[in-house]
Amino acid sequence: MLLTYVDESYTDRWYWIGALLVPEAVAIPLSDALDEVMAEAAKTYGVGRDAELHGYDLFQGRAPWTGVPPRARIAVYNSALRAIGAHDVTIILRGVDRHGLADRYGDTRPAHEVVLSHLLERVDGYAAMREELALVIADEVDNPAAHRSDLTRYRVDGTGGYRSRRLTRIVDTLHFAPSHASRLVQGVDLVTFLFRRMASGVGTDPREVTTNRRLWCWVEPRRYHSWCWRPSGRRMHEGPA
């Protein structure tokens, strides 16, 4: 079974959703490793051991990281990504240009719905290739019932679009968990947030670009697939150089 943790990261222009596919035997060791990252951060910087590893908060120094120096926050981020990259996990990321999507479809195709369908196609395909099943656990979102209904439709009618696929390897329904209660949801948040910043060109300061690349190098070998759809133009791969 591939426990598939899902979270989104977005700006007004770009919407990305990432998946961290974790074999069941890896789930507890990886969760423990991320707990150890936070235990060390608590001992060194005085944050609570139960604090979230959240990409935006670490980058911006938001609570519970208020007052923790940037170098220290980068070190925590680095330790967390290093832990993720050291385990047998797989990363899949999909994105869309929200402006192009709105130009083509207006308000009829929400970005989250579009990108999630593309992501689930790839998760299902990867699980089939591995002769595995996938159970999807996502960070909490608005209107979860609608997303569960979409998954049911994808099983029967396919996902639609140019790569329409009937989802046969994703079991049960979509499960939603509060990020504060799951280190593995936090893990996919860290991965997706950093990837979105790099792929979208946010942060052009050379020092940040260098730092981001150094952080990303820990998980790059685990990236199986990433792609951003630009409805107003050609489809373009997006990812760290």
Side-chain angles (χ1 to χ4, degrees):
M1 179 76 71
L2 296 171
L3 303 176
T4 303
Y5 295 88
V6 172
D7 197 15
E8 77 274 5
S9 183
Y10 53 87
T11 66
D12 64 339
R13 178 70 186 270
W14 306 106
Y15 201 106
W16 284 89
I17 304 181
L20 186 68
L21 286 72
V22 182
E24 55 188 300
V26 176
I28 291 177
L30 177 52
S31 184
D32 288 346
L34 293 174
D35 275 338
E36 290 172 11
V37 170
M38 274 309 309
E40 183 64 26
K43 181 172 65 176
T44 306
Y45 308 118
V47 297
R49 288 189 59 158
D50 60 349
E52 280 194 57
L53 289 162
H54 192 270
Y56 179 82
D57 294 342
L58 276 166
F59 258 73
Q60 302 298 332
R62 299 292 184 91
W65 304 97
T66 305
V68 178
R71 284 182 179 272
R73 289 185 272 113
I74 290 169
V76 174
Y77 214 127
N78 185 78
S79 295
L81 291 183
R82 185 175 183 176
I84 293 168
H87 288 79
D88 180 23
V89 299
T90 300
I91 294 168
I92 297 175
L93 302 119
R94 293 293 302 211
V96 72
D97 174 1
R98 301 175 81 178
H99 293 182
L101 188 68
D103 288 345
R104 177 173 291 191
Y105 297 106
D107 296 330
T108 62
R109 301 199 67 190
H112 188 278
E113 177 186 323
V114 170
V115 180
L116 184 59
S117 70
H118 294 172
L119 184 81
L120 293 177
E121 287 172 357
R122 291 291 177 169
V123 168
D124 192 80
Y126 180 81
M129 180 184 71
R130 291 276 300 264
E131 298 184 345
E132 293 268 15
L133 298 174
L135 181 72
V136 179
I137 304 111
D139 193 6
E140 290 179 316
V141 295
D142 294 333
N143 199 8
H147 298 303
R148 292 183 176 118
S149 177
D150 288 341
L151 175 59
T152 300
R153 175 163 49 87
Y154 299 154
R155 286 197 177 107
V156 176
D157 299 325
T159 52
Y162 77 104
R163 285 183 57 94
S164 184
R165 178 185 181 92
R166 287 182 61 246
L167 304 184
T168 62
R169 308 301 298 184
I170 296 176
V171 301
D172 199 24
T173 185
L174 297 182
H175 296 265
F176 295 91
S179 60
H180 66 79
S182 170
R183 288 291 184 214
L184 299 180
V185 171
Q186 294 167 37
V188 72
D189 174 276
L190 295 175
V191 168
T192 308
F193 177 82
L194 180 61
F195 186 90
R196 191 267 304 163
R197 285 187 69 87
M198 298 176 72
S200 305
V202 176
T204 57
D205 184 295
R207 293 169 298 180
E208 179 178 342
V209 171
T210 299
T211 297
N212 289 348
R213 286 176 176 170
R214 287 175 177 169
L215 291 172
W216 183 258
C217 75
W218 294 114
V219 295
E220 171 59 23
R222 302 298 182 182
R223 177 169 58 132
Y224 170 72
H225 170 82
S226 58
W227 196 272
C228 184
W229 180 34
R230 300 189 178 193
S232 58
R234 65 188 182 92
R235 296 179 181 90
M236 179 173 288
H237 173 271
E238 298 283 354

